[in-house]
Amino acid sequence: MTTTTQQTITLHAQCLCRAHSFATPPLPTTSLPLPSSSCHCTSCRHLTGALRSSDAPWPGPANVIHAAADADAEGGGTLRRYVQTEKMNILFCGRCGSPLFCEQLPAEGGGAGAGEPEYLAFTGALSVEGDGPGATLPPVVRCVDHIFVGDTLDGGALPWLRGMDGEGGPAAKVWLGGRDCSEEVPAGARWPAVGALEKGYEAGLKTEGAKGDVSLRCHCRGIDLVLRAGEAQREFEETQRRGGELPWYIDPVTHKGMGSLDGCDSCRLAAGSEVYNWTFAALRHISFAGANKEGFPRDTSQLRIATEAKDGEGRDPRLGTLAFYASSPDVQRYFCGRCSATLFYAVDDRPDIVDVAVGLLDSPDGARAESAISWSFGGAMTWRQDMIGTWREIMLHAVEKDAEEWRVERGYPKHWRRVAREEAEKAGEK
Ligand SMILES: [Zn+2]
Ligand SMILES: [Zn+2]
Ligand SMILES: [Zn+2]
């Protein structure tokens, strides 16, 4: 077993396509972990496509970031600013969609708080030089609080993120609204309204008003779509009744699409926060919003071609601000070119389905959209291998443990894919 001998680390904030990279001066390891905050508010979920945004004060030079953003704004570069609120801009890569920094604007006038903007880095964008299996880095970030959890109605991702940094440090505080100015959720409670959730979950989509349609839209509304989850559910129920085979992502009991916890590095970078949440849908179950719903691309190659078309050259205006970045030759990551929100993950060998960013869904039962999604809680997180051996490994084990405890607490059965995998493993042992 090696021990940490490094006295300093260099921290990078870098986007998925590596067009933008910022580094800190060497930081003493004694200054770690950086205190981070997770915001679960509706605005942050629609800005990232994740169930929360996560940021920490950037311990590097602010003027470098400011100058780069100004230069790109003037020169048509790809580091883009999006106005989230009067006091806050998001800086993101317009080529790959990764959010990098929150730019907190100085207070108007003189006095305390006046001066230069301050920068918070999205923690998902952070990496340390030399990290990986064999390196024994101290935790770089530790979440000190979760804010605006009340916006989620159902607790969102809190149940599996509350203890995400493991033991050995102060427990993160949880606020229903703003820090120090709203009701605090007591330690030990994953979410105070668990009982109230049951109704929404049991009601399901079939009995709900708008046929189980769930809005799918980004913060700036440049992407405004509908996931026709109720229609999908009814269709797959019928498929099963006729003895047909269900797609791998459909729950054979509820006929809802699977929801996943994902540890993939690329998803972390694309959304700016660790542990991404996807659900899965056939493109035929996605529509444009508004009166003229028909005509959304039915397969991933049509979607790619439609998105590549330029305004005035046959681009469907209903595609709005949709853009994509090919993170591998066969992968398209769709995002909003104006506000940076992650929307879809598409891969060429699954032409009729996409991964859908759960954070963009507006489901009446809450941020986890349990009336439309069958969550895969417990068991191994998808792409967990990307976290192994890095400073984020503590988070991997803590999240897997909490997700399993949450499953048991909620009384959910083991996920069907996990049962199938465990049975296959058992058969292999014999
Ligand atoms: Zn980029
Ligand atoms: Zn927020
Ligand atoms: Zn947008």
Side-chain angles (χ1 to χ4, degrees):
M1 171 114 192
T2 44
T3 51
T4 306
T5 49
Q6 272 176 266
Q7 302 296 309
T8 62
I9 60 149
T10 301
L11 197 57
H12 294 263
Q14 192 173 53
C15 66
L16 179 58
C17 78
R18 297 171 178 252
H20 302 286
S21 186
F22 297 87
T24 62
L27 303 171
T29 49
T30 51
S31 69
L32 303 175
L34 305 172
S36 72
S37 179
S38 288
C39 183
H40 300 245
C41 82
T42 302
S43 171
C44 286
R45 279 182 276 121
H46 285 83
L47 193 74
T48 60
L51 283 177
R52 52 142 193 169
S53 70
S54 170
D55 54 45
W58 173 245
N63 57 350
V64 177
I65 303 169
H66 195 247
D70 281 356
D72 276 18
E74 278 166 32
T78 55
L79 187 60
R80 291 189 191 159
R81 271 199 178 97
Y82 174 70
V83 179
Q84 186 181 8
T85 69
E86 271 177 13
K87 294 175 195 150
M88 176 120 77
N89 299 323
I90 300 302
L91 302 187
F92 72 100
C93 174
R95 183 163 174 257
C96 69
S98 298
L100 289 164
F101 297 103
C102 300
E103 184 176 54
Q104 285 187 321
L105 302 176
E108 296 274 318
E116 296 298 309
E118 289 176 8
Y119 292 88
L120 303 167
F122 280 84
T123 61
L126 298 178
S127 61
V128 179
E129 236 164 64
D131 193 12
T136 49
L137 293 167
V140 173
V141 167
R142 186 170 184 95
C143 181
V144 296
D145 59 20
H146 297 268
I147 57 174
F148 292 100
V149 182
D151 273 19
T152 65
L153 305 180
D154 60 6
L158 183 72
W160 58 88
L161 295 181
R162 182 149 204 182
M164 67 180 165
D165 295 310
E167 313 281 322
K173 288 177 177 257
V174 178
W175 303 95
L176 289 187
R179 175 180 305 126
D180 294 328
C181 62
S182 67
E183 192 183 327
E184 188 179 351
V185 179
R190 286 168 196 279
W191 181 243
V194 169
L197 279 176
E198 305 304 334
K199 262 191 238 153
Y201 181 69
E202 295 304 332
L205 285 169
K206 282 163 277 187
T207 54
E208 277 179 23
K211 301 180 297 181
D213 284 358
V214 184
S215 292
L216 179 61
R217 51 193 169 203
C218 68
H219 189 268
C220 76
R221 299 285 173 100
I223 294 171
D224 196 0
L225 304 172
V226 175
L227 174 65
R228 297 200 314 274
E231 183 188 314
Q233 212 178 337
R234 288 184 292 271
E235 180 192 309
F236 291 125
E237 201 175 306
E238 180 64 13
T239 302
Q240 192 181 46
R241 202 180 58 76
R242 294 179 177 200
E245 200 179 322
L246 294 175
W248 58 269
Y249 63 93
I250 292 299
D251 186 320
V253 175
T254 65
H255 307 100
K256 298 173 190 177
M258 181 169 77
S260 71
L261 275 66
D262 192 318
C264 160
D265 280 340
S266 301
C267 297
R268 164 171 63 74
L269 287 163
S273 63
E274 294 88 350
V275 187
Y276 205 71
N277 300 112
W278 295 108
T279 186
F280 304 85
L283 281 164
R284 67 178 182 280
H285 295 135
I286 293 168
S287 303
F288 292 111
N292 184 9
K293 288 181 169 33
E294 297 309 313
F296 194 75
R298 288 299 202 83
D299 69 47
T300 54
S301 82
Q302 282 177 26
L303 179 63
R304 182 172 51 75
I305 292 163
T307 307
E308 277 172 333
K310 296 208 169 25
D311 287 341
E313 292 174 19
R315 183 180 166 104
D316 189 324
R318 294 173 300 172
L319 290 170
T321 50
L322 187 64
F324 76 83
Y325 169 63
S327 57
S328 314
D330 61 337
V331 169
Q332 301 93 43
R333 289 177 175 272
Y334 289 86
F335 66 98
C336 172
R338 186 162 62 201
C339 75
S340 90
T342 293
L343 173 68
F344 296 145
Y345 170 93
V347 59
D348 288 349
D349 66 3
R350 296 185 323 205
D352 57 341
I353 68 162
V354 284
D355 299 25
V356 177
V358 175
L360 300 193
L361 294 172
D362 274 324
S363 183
D365 58 324
R368 279 197 309 277
E370 291 198 5
S371 59
I373 295 175
S374 170
W375 283 91
S376 172
F377 292 130
M381 206 194 297
T382 316
W383 284 97
R384 67 198 298 281
Q385 62 271 31
D386 280 7
M387 296 171 90
I388 302 268
T390 74
W391 63 268
R392 291 182 170 96
E393 185 169 343
I394 289 171
M395 188 182 295
L396 167 70
H397 301 302
V399 168
E400 286 184 345
K401 175 175 163 284
D402 279 0
E404 175 66 359
E405 283 176 14
W406 171 247
R407 180 187 75 77
V408 173
E409 191 175 313
R410 293 295 312 276
Y412 290 158
K414 272 193 196 178
H415 203 257
W416 76 98
R417 291 184 42 97
R418 178 178 168 193
V419 171
R421 190 173 56 240
E422 286 175 359
E423 279 171 3
E425 279 166 13
K426 222 185 271 171
E429 280 164 17
K430 281 175 192 159

